[in-house]
Amino acid sequence: MKYLDEFADPVVARRLLNDIAATVTRPWALMEVCGGQTHTIIRNGIDQLLPDGVEMIHGPGCPVCVTPLETIDRALAIAARPEVIFCSFGDMLRVPGSSDDLFRVKSRGGDVRVVYSPLDAVRIAQANPGKQVVFFGIGFETTAPANAMTVLLADRLGLANFSLLVSHVLVPPAITAIMDSPTRRVQGFLAAGHVCTVMGMSEYQPLVERYQVPIVVTGFEPLDVLEGIRRVLVQLEQGRAELDNAYPRAVSREGNPEARKVVADVFTVTDRNWRGIGAIPNSGWRLADRWAGYDAEQRFDVTGIVTAESEHCRSGEVLQGLIKPVQCEAFGVECTPRNPLGAPMVSSEGACAAYYQFRRLQAAAS
Amino acid sequence: MCLGIPGRVERRFEADGAPMGTVDFGGVRKDVCLAYVPELQVGDWTIVHVGFALTRLDEASAKETLAMMRSVGMLDSELGTA
Ligand code: SF4
């Protein structure tokens, strides 16, 4: 067990692994939804420590990876305008659009700024009244309360030069899409802990019942992930399908009511195209109509976007759990974090980036 | 961007009508909006996502998480200090 001493508490890790080994009598396929969990699994070799036949399928929970190509191209067009200061989380800078990325727009003189928090973008708008400041509001339910608050704050401050390019995605509809897919193999889910910190757990009960699939809310640290896996496997072996919380220190049933209220005020549910996956009904948030004045899509009339994905990139299959990144021929050859062909090679949550960071040598050796 | 980092509230203040706090993430300090967890007091630990506190956390698990994130380099990438 080569990785075991890298766990915070190797004794607890070994106990959990022994429990898992004693529980499992046949093969199971589990999906971790969150890209942070994917990185933990690959970094700590959790998939290799599990009993033979227990497979971890990596889910689409990397917001950077699933932001639609059309939206990336739109962002690039807006960011290139001379009157615009374009603010984004750092992860987005190298995400490939059809023929460009934000990093290159910046190097050609575009005012593209990496911010830690969307609040920083509001401050930049305050400080630059002569410029249009656009924030690229992407992410799952975890970043939505922050992004939503910028609109309320800009409104309170009367900022006419601030807008949001919104492309939020939601976890429960993604689980629905995975379970409705004809290629589905997933028998149990680790739900993303911090998504539930915001939203609570109530949205998952109907999914458990409808698909008779165990869903366990799980954190992203190595021991958390092991415990989540153990709880899913115990349910599967006992023929149960329940909603469980393996991350109670950060997740309560009701989530964060204040955050949910603001998000419900500012955003409204919309169909969303997931990059590499396709359209999923009711799977995103856009700005609610009453906040349309802050919508960068409406403020900047970008027309003529023609999207083109890389021909070699198999990110769609990676994001749907159909192949592992190392099965993509471009992996580590034409496609590296410095020169990514697809978004999953970019982000600190992308599956291809995780395999590149932690499995490259192993893949080459095998 | 998506993970959330534990930190300790060191000071509270107001900005543009919103409750704010200076939060210490194991040595790196940032100003964070406390509007979603307004009951946070100086000395409390919280999980922060892109500049917003989202929940309280007990000290022991917060410190453990911070240590884990630092040891694998996640802290810098989440804080944008890499
Ligand atoms: S390794 Fe690169 S080219 Fe292959 S699927 Fe991943 S991102 Fe796409």
Side-chain angles (χ1 to χ4, degrees):
Chain A
M1 292 201 176
K2 52 191 157 137
Y3 297 102
L4 209 50
D5 28 311
E6 284 169 27
F7 284 84
D9 188 337
V11 178
V12 177
R14 179 176 296 277
R15 205 194 64 223
L16 286 169
L17 283 163
N18 288 345
D19 274 8
I20 288 171
T23 302
V24 170
T25 63
R26 58 194 187 94
W28 298 106
L30 277 51
M31 176 177 275
E32 84 279 2
V33 172
C34 154
Q37 292 167 344
T38 302
H39 271 247
T40 297
I41 288 168
I42 301 309
R43 185 183 58 238
N44 287 71
I46 288 177
D47 53 330
Q48 302 180 338
L49 293 167
L50 292 174
D52 286 345
V54 176
E55 184 192 355
M56 297 308 297
I57 300 177
H58 313 311
C62 160
V64 170
C65 304
V66 299
T67 300
L69 183 55
E70 207 249 338
T71 306
I72 305 281
D73 286 351
R74 188 178 298 274
L76 294 168
I78 294 172
R81 295 189 178 218
E83 78 276 23
V84 166
I85 301 176
F86 193 87
C87 301
S88 165
F89 296 125
D91 305 54
M92 296 306 281
L93 250 63
R94 284 198 185 271
V95 172
S98 291
S99 59
D100 220 345
D101 61 37
L102 281 171
F103 194 78
R104 275 181 267 176
V105 170
K106 185 178 165 69
S107 65
R108 287 198 302 268
D111 196 343
V112 177
R113 302 192 193 178
V114 170
V115 293
Y116 158 67
S117 168
L119 279 187
D120 301 339
V122 177
R123 303 279 173 245
I124 292 171
Q126 263 179 309
N128 294 274
K131 291 277 195 174
Q132 282 291 331
V133 175
V134 181
F135 180 71
F136 201 177
I138 66 136
F140 279 93
E141 293 93 327
T142 46
T143 51
N147 293 347
M149 188 65 91
T150 62
V151 175
L152 300 187
L153 190 59
D155 194 56
R156 202 183 307 150
L157 295 170
L159 290 178
N161 65 330
F162 179 81
S163 61
L164 216 55
L165 181 61
V166 182
S167 188
H168 268 291
V169 279
L170 306 172
V171 169
I175 291 183
T176 303
I178 288 159
M179 292 310 285
D180 284 340
S181 157
T183 53
R184 82 151 191 241
R185 291 188 297 132
V186 180
Q187 294 163 297
F189 285 95
L190 308 186
H194 288 162
V195 166
C196 298
T197 299
V198 175
M199 299 301 292
M201 295 168 60
S202 60
E203 297 173 293
Y204 296 88
Q205 190 62 43
L207 297 172
V208 165
E209 285 163 19
R210 175 154 160 220
Y211 297 108
Q212 284 301 303
V213 67
I215 299 181
V216 176
V217 176
T218 302
F220 64 89
E221 293 176 54
L223 293 175
D224 289 329
V225 172
L226 272 185
E227 173 63 6
I229 292 172
R230 189 189 68 82
R231 292 196 192 196
V232 173
L233 289 169
V234 167
Q235 286 197 44
L236 287 170
E237 286 284 345
Q238 296 177 352
R240 290 186 289 131
E242 286 161 18
L243 179 60
D244 187 14
N245 183 4
Y247 195 35
R249 67 179 189 275
V251 174
S252 65
R253 285 220 146 245
E254 64 283 0
N256 183 322
E258 199 52 45
R260 288 171 70 176
K261 203 167 83 198
V262 170
V263 165
D265 169 17
V266 173
F267 295 134
T268 189
V269 170
T270 184
D271 298 343
R272 176 85 60 217
N273 232 332
W274 294 48
R275 187 173 190 175
I277 296 176
I280 304 178
N282 301 320
S283 68
W285 278 325
R286 63 171 174 81
L287 281 175
D289 291 339
R290 61 184 288 232
W291 300 110
Y294 291 94
D295 189 346
E297 255 185 76
Q298 302 194 14
R299 189 171 299 189
F300 303 92
D301 191 21
V302 178
T303 50
I305 292 180
V306 182
T307 59
E309 277 290 6
S310 151
E311 279 169 29
H312 305 289
C313 177
R314 299 177 66 186
S315 65
E317 290 158 276
V318 170
L319 287 165
Q320 293 172 71
L322 300 176
I323 63 166
K324 297 280 190 275
V326 289
Q327 289 170 269
C328 168
E329 258 140 49
F331 176 85
V333 188
E334 295 109 294
C335 182
T336 62
R338 287 206 141 257
N339 208 341
L341 293 185
M345 187 54 96
V346 179
S347 156
S348 54
E349 280 130 42
C352 299
Y355 276 77
Y356 187 86
Q357 244 180 306
F358 307 116
R359 288 286 161 83
R360 194 164 21 125
L361 301 174
Q362 201 174 315
S366 67
Chain B
M1 161 232 314
C2 215
L3 284 181
I5 324 160
R8 183 176 169 277
V9 181
E10 286 200 322
R11 168 175 94 92
R12 283 186 57 121
F13 59 99
E14 285 224 346
D16 305 314
M20 300 285 295
T22 302
V23 174
D24 174 15
F25 303 97
V28 181
R29 284 178 181 76
K30 290 207 178 269
D31 288 345
V32 160
C33 180
L34 305 183
Y36 293 130
V37 200
E39 67 274 18
L40 282 173
Q41 297 302 320
V42 170
D44 285 349
W45 289 79
T46 172
I47 298 180
V48 175
H49 281 260
V50 293
F52 287 75
L54 285 186
T55 187
R56 265 187 71 140
L57 196 64
D58 67 272
E59 176 170 352
S61 41
K63 284 184 170 162
E64 241 173 67
T65 304
L66 265 181
M68 186 283 294
M69 291 182 82
R70 183 179 295 113
S71 76
V72 300
M74 270 152 75
L75 203 53
D76 281 340
S77 68
E78 277 298 303
L79 284 168
T81 50

